[in-house]
Amino acid sequence: MTKADVFRALHRGRVPGDPLVLPGPWDAASARVFAEAGFPALATPSAGVAASLGYEDGQVPADEMFAAVARIVRAVDVPVSADVEGGYGLAPKDLVERLLEVGAVGCNLEDSADGVLKDPRAHAAWLAEVREAAGDRLFVNARIDTFSRGVDDPGQAIERAALYVAAGADCVYPIGAPPEILPLLRAGIQGPVNVGALTDEGPSPAELGERGATRVTFGPGLQRRATRALREIAAGLRR
């Protein structure tokens, strides 16, 4: 069984209250911490990696992002999925090849660019090409950006989800969806649902699982929380 097979299997058979929790490492050292803590898989956050490389989110050159993912993958034995934003303008086949070269078992792909939602049918067609190129070698998490772009209608998120699942996405991620509507989204979406969690407030991963999350990720939250802790340590050194 490959690491991609292991990763896909981790999404199956989840019961309410027991979602797959995927911490987001931003470098090799943080990846080792999470793996040593016993998490069965990891999912890199593009914004967290960007911060570790000295960039704003969305400004990391593709080569630097893939190199960062490769370092994280090499540092741990558990499967690692990579947030590769909108795919960096790469053709689906090239994107898949780059992900496989660095050892990623999956990818997170956004459906907006420069703050604007993509046409869902065109994006679904692109996802289908990614699926065809990847076969079963990658777990595709299709992000749905409606809520983060100010579209509060759950129906639109559900419609996009249906298109992306039909295109071959293994999981969908309605980023920014209010926790209270998760049961509605869960009822309308086929297959696994990724939900983002905060690290210091809001529903816990278990509570999000009760509301419909198959898996829980944290975006750049863990990296930002670690940075806050480091600032406190640094301030203490000056006393």
Side-chain angles (χ1 to χ4, degrees), residues 24 26 45 48 197-200 218-228:
W26 53 95
L198 300 176
T199 63
D200 50 7
F218 303 90
L222 293 164
Q223 183 271 331
R224 290 172 180 171
R225 187 168 179 178
T227 298
R228 290 197 298 271

PDB file of all heavy atoms in Angstrom, residues 24 26 45 48 197-200 218-228:
ATOM      1  N   GLY A  24      -0.914  21.551  10.124  1.00  0.00           N
ATOM      2  CA  GLY A  24      -0.265  22.128   8.955  1.00  0.00           C
ATOM      3  C   GLY A  24       1.162  22.551   9.215  1.00  0.00           C
ATOM      4  O   GLY A  24       1.403  23.651   9.719  1.00  0.00           O
ATOM      5  N   TRP A  26       4.848  24.045   8.503  1.00  0.00           N
ATOM      6  CA  TRP A  26       5.351  25.092   7.614  1.00  0.00           C
ATOM      7  C   TRP A  26       6.828  24.885   7.274  1.00  0.00           C
ATOM      8  O   TRP A  26       7.370  25.578   6.425  1.00  0.00           O
ATOM      9  CB  TRP A  26       5.143  26.464   8.229  1.00  0.00           C
ATOM     10  CG  TRP A  26       5.697  26.599   9.627  1.00  0.00           C
ATOM     11  CD1 TRP A  26       6.931  27.091   9.982  1.00  0.00           C
ATOM     12  CD2 TRP A  26       5.046  26.249  10.848  1.00  0.00           C
ATOM     13  NE1 TRP A  26       7.080  27.056  11.354  1.00  0.00           N
ATOM     14  CE2 TRP A  26       5.931  26.540  11.912  1.00  0.00           C
ATOM     15  CE3 TRP A  26       3.788  25.708  11.154  1.00  0.00           C
ATOM     16  CZ2 TRP A  26       5.609  26.315  13.254  1.00  0.00           C
ATOM     17  CZ3 TRP A  26       3.471  25.481  12.490  1.00  0.00           C
ATOM     18  CH2 TRP A  26       4.368  25.787  13.518  1.00  0.00           C
ATOM     19  N   PRO A  45       0.033  24.279   4.838  1.00  0.00           N
ATOM     20  CA  PRO A  45      -0.753  25.469   4.517  1.00  0.00           C
ATOM     21  C   PRO A  45       0.086  26.425   3.666  1.00  0.00           C
ATOM     22  O   PRO A  45       1.237  26.729   4.004  1.00  0.00           O
ATOM     23  CB  PRO A  45      -1.007  26.080   5.900  1.00  0.00           C
ATOM     24  CG  PRO A  45       0.214  25.705   6.695  1.00  0.00           C
ATOM     25  CD  PRO A  45       0.757  24.427   6.110  1.00  0.00           C
ATOM     26  N   GLY A  48       1.206  29.518   5.696  1.00  0.00           N
ATOM     27  CA  GLY A  48       2.222  29.220   6.701  1.00  0.00           C
ATOM     28  C   GLY A  48       3.580  28.992   6.079  1.00  0.00           C
ATOM     29  O   GLY A  48       4.604  29.472   6.584  1.00  0.00           O
ATOM     30  N   ALA A 197     -10.376  24.915  11.109  1.00  0.00           N
ATOM     31  CA  ALA A 197     -10.587  25.195  12.529  1.00  0.00           C
ATOM     32  C   ALA A 197      -9.602  26.258  12.992  1.00  0.00           C
ATOM     33  O   ALA A 197      -8.491  26.390  12.464  1.00  0.00           O
ATOM     34  CB  ALA A 197     -10.406  23.930  13.361  1.00  0.00           C
ATOM     35  N   LEU A 198     -10.020  27.008  14.014  1.00  0.00           N
ATOM     36  CA  LEU A 198      -9.111  27.937  14.675  1.00  0.00           C
ATOM     37  C   LEU A 198      -8.352  27.176  15.759  1.00  0.00           C
ATOM     38  O   LEU A 198      -8.812  26.142  16.248  1.00  0.00           O
ATOM     39  CB  LEU A 198      -9.902  29.095  15.286  1.00  0.00           C
ATOM     40  CG  LEU A 198     -10.713  29.927  14.286  1.00  0.00           C
ATOM     41  CD1 LEU A 198     -11.538  30.983  15.025  1.00  0.00           C
ATOM     42  CD2 LEU A 198      -9.807  30.595  13.264  1.00  0.00           C
ATOM     43  N   THR A 199      -7.207  27.684  16.135  1.00  0.00           N
ATOM     44  CA  THR A 199      -6.385  26.960  17.099  1.00  0.00           C
ATOM     45  C   THR A 199      -6.633  27.385  18.542  1.00  0.00           C
ATOM     46  O   THR A 199      -6.214  26.681  19.460  1.00  0.00           O
ATOM     47  CB  THR A 199      -4.895  27.164  16.797  1.00  0.00           C
ATOM     48  OG1 THR A 199      -4.558  28.556  16.945  1.00  0.00           O
ATOM     49  CG2 THR A 199      -4.572  26.707  15.380  1.00  0.00           C
ATOM     50  N   ASP A 200      -7.297  28.506  18.752  1.00  0.00           N
ATOM     51  CA  ASP A 200      -7.438  28.999  20.124  1.00  0.00           C
ATOM     52  C   ASP A 200      -8.847  29.468  20.484  1.00  0.00           C
ATOM     53  O   ASP A 200      -9.072  30.022  21.549  1.00  0.00           O
ATOM     54  CB  ASP A 200      -6.446  30.141  20.379  1.00  0.00           C
ATOM     55  CG  ASP A 200      -6.494  31.220  19.293  1.00  0.00           C
ATOM     56  OD1 ASP A 200      -7.373  31.146  18.424  1.00  0.00           O
ATOM     57  OD2 ASP A 200      -5.643  32.124  19.329  1.00  0.00           O
ATOM     58  N   PHE A 218      -6.055  23.531   9.648  1.00  0.00           N
ATOM     59  CA  PHE A 218      -5.912  24.762  10.420  1.00  0.00           C
ATOM     60  C   PHE A 218      -5.336  25.926   9.625  1.00  0.00           C
ATOM     61  O   PHE A 218      -5.064  26.982  10.194  1.00  0.00           O
ATOM     62  CB  PHE A 218      -5.016  24.493  11.648  1.00  0.00           C
ATOM     63  CG  PHE A 218      -5.539  23.382  12.521  1.00  0.00           C
ATOM     64  CD1 PHE A 218      -5.153  22.071  12.306  1.00  0.00           C
ATOM     65  CD2 PHE A 218      -6.444  23.644  13.533  1.00  0.00           C
ATOM     66  CE1 PHE A 218      -5.645  21.031  13.088  1.00  0.00           C
ATOM     67  CE2 PHE A 218      -6.949  22.627  14.329  1.00  0.00           C
ATOM     68  CZ  PHE A 218      -6.540  21.312  14.102  1.00  0.00           C
ATOM     69  N   GLY A 219      -5.146  25.758   8.328  1.00  0.00           N
ATOM     70  CA  GLY A 219      -4.558  26.828   7.542  1.00  0.00           C
ATOM     71  C   GLY A 219      -3.242  27.268   8.176  1.00  0.00           C
ATOM     72  O   GLY A 219      -2.488  26.443   8.701  1.00  0.00           O
ATOM     73  N   PRO A 220      -2.974  28.578   8.178  1.00  0.00           N
ATOM     74  CA  PRO A 220      -1.726  29.057   8.779  1.00  0.00           C
ATOM     75  C   PRO A 220      -1.830  29.272  10.289  1.00  0.00           C
ATOM     76  O   PRO A 220      -0.920  29.825  10.903  1.00  0.00           O
ATOM     77  CB  PRO A 220      -1.509  30.386   8.064  1.00  0.00           C
ATOM     78  CG  PRO A 220      -2.903  30.898   7.838  1.00  0.00           C
ATOM     79  CD  PRO A 220      -3.732  29.658   7.539  1.00  0.00           C
ATOM     80  N   GLY A 221      -2.934  28.833  10.898  1.00  0.00           N
ATOM     81  CA  GLY A 221      -3.167  29.128  12.306  1.00  0.00           C
ATOM     82  C   GLY A 221      -2.080  28.633  13.242  1.00  0.00           C
ATOM     83  O   GLY A 221      -1.698  29.319  14.197  1.00  0.00           O
ATOM     84  N   LEU A 222      -1.564  27.432  12.996  1.00  0.00           N
ATOM     85  CA  LEU A 222      -0.540  26.876  13.880  1.00  0.00           C
ATOM     86  C   LEU A 222       0.776  27.642  13.735  1.00  0.00           C
ATOM     87  O   LEU A 222       1.466  27.914  14.726  1.00  0.00           O
ATOM     88  CB  LEU A 222      -0.354  25.395  13.590  1.00  0.00           C
ATOM     89  CG  LEU A 222      -1.559  24.529  13.961  1.00  0.00           C
ATOM     90  CD1 LEU A 222      -1.472  23.161  13.303  1.00  0.00           C
ATOM     91  CD2 LEU A 222      -1.664  24.385  15.482  1.00  0.00           C
ATOM     92  N   GLN A 223       1.120  27.989  12.510  1.00  0.00           N
ATOM     93  CA  GLN A 223       2.350  28.773  12.297  1.00  0.00           C
ATOM     94  C   GLN A 223       2.235  30.140  12.955  1.00  0.00           C
ATOM     95  O   GLN A 223       3.178  30.619  13.599  1.00  0.00           O
ATOM     96  CB  GLN A 223       2.620  28.912  10.790  1.00  0.00           C
ATOM     97  CG  GLN A 223       3.895  29.649  10.437  1.00  0.00           C
ATOM     98  CD  GLN A 223       3.698  31.161  10.303  1.00  0.00           C
ATOM     99  OE1 GLN A 223       2.606  31.620   9.940  1.00  0.00           O
ATOM    100  NE2 GLN A 223       4.727  31.914  10.597  1.00  0.00           N
ATOM    101  N   ARG A 224       1.087  30.764  12.860  1.00  0.00           N
ATOM    102  CA  ARG A 224       0.905  32.080  13.457  1.00  0.00           C
ATOM    103  C   ARG A 224       0.900  32.008  14.980  1.00  0.00           C
ATOM    104  O   ARG A 224       1.426  32.890  15.663  1.00  0.00           O
ATOM    105  CB  ARG A 224      -0.390  32.710  12.931  1.00  0.00           C
ATOM    106  CG  ARG A 224      -0.283  33.100  11.461  1.00  0.00           C
ATOM    107  CD  ARG A 224      -1.602  33.552  10.872  1.00  0.00           C
ATOM    108  NE  ARG A 224      -1.438  33.904   9.464  1.00  0.00           N
ATOM    109  CZ  ARG A 224      -2.433  34.173   8.630  1.00  0.00           C
ATOM    110  NH1 ARG A 224      -3.699  34.096   9.076  1.00  0.00           N
ATOM    111  NH2 ARG A 224      -2.197  34.486   7.376  1.00  0.00           N
ATOM    112  N   ARG A 225       0.326  30.936  15.516  1.00  0.00           N
ATOM    113  CA  ARG A 225       0.342  30.769  16.963  1.00  0.00           C
ATOM    114  C   ARG A 225       1.769  30.529  17.460  1.00  0.00           C
ATOM    115  O   ARG A 225       2.173  31.064  18.502  1.00  0.00           O
ATOM    116  CB  ARG A 225      -0.562  29.600  17.364  1.00  0.00           C
ATOM    117  CG  ARG A 225      -0.733  29.464  18.865  1.00  0.00           C
ATOM    118  CD  ARG A 225      -1.841  28.490  19.205  1.00  0.00           C
ATOM    119  NE  ARG A 225      -1.992  28.324  20.636  1.00  0.00           N
ATOM    120  CZ  ARG A 225      -2.910  27.569  21.223  1.00  0.00           C
ATOM    121  NH1 ARG A 225      -3.787  26.926  20.470  1.00  0.00           N
ATOM    122  NH2 ARG A 225      -2.964  27.461  22.527  1.00  0.00           N
ATOM    123  N   ALA A 226       2.538  29.754  16.715  1.00  0.00           N
ATOM    124  CA  ALA A 226       3.935  29.526  17.085  1.00  0.00           C
ATOM    125  C   ALA A 226       4.731  30.831  17.013  1.00  0.00           C
ATOM    126  O   ALA A 226       5.600  31.082  17.856  1.00  0.00           O
ATOM    127  CB  ALA A 226       4.552  28.476  16.164  1.00  0.00           C
ATOM    128  N   THR A 227       4.421  31.663  16.030  1.00  0.00           N
ATOM    129  CA  THR A 227       5.116  32.949  15.903  1.00  0.00           C
ATOM    130  C   THR A 227       4.801  33.851  17.089  1.00  0.00           C
ATOM    131  O   THR A 227       5.688  34.537  17.621  1.00  0.00           O
ATOM    132  CB  THR A 227       4.724  33.636  14.590  1.00  0.00           C
ATOM    133  OG1 THR A 227       5.128  32.806  13.485  1.00  0.00           O
ATOM    134  CG2 THR A 227       5.389  34.997  14.455  1.00  0.00           C
ATOM    135  N   ARG A 228       3.539  33.849  17.526  1.00  0.00           N
ATOM    136  CA  ARG A 228       3.174  34.643  18.705  1.00  0.00           C
ATOM    137  C   ARG A 228       3.939  34.165  19.933  1.00  0.00           C
ATOM    138  O   ARG A 228       4.433  34.968  20.735  1.00  0.00           O
ATOM    139  CB  ARG A 228       1.663  34.571  18.953  1.00  0.00           C
ATOM    140  CG  ARG A 228       0.832  35.293  17.916  1.00  0.00           C
ATOM    141  CD  ARG A 228      -0.591  35.542  18.398  1.00  0.00           C
ATOM    142  NE  ARG A 228      -1.313  34.308  18.672  1.00  0.00           N
ATOM    143  CZ  ARG A 228      -2.028  33.653  17.762  1.00  0.00           C
ATOM    144  NH1 ARG A 228      -2.098  34.092  16.513  1.00  0.00           N
ATOM    145  NH2 ARG A 228      -2.679  32.546  18.093  1.00  0.00           N
TER     146      ARG A 228
END
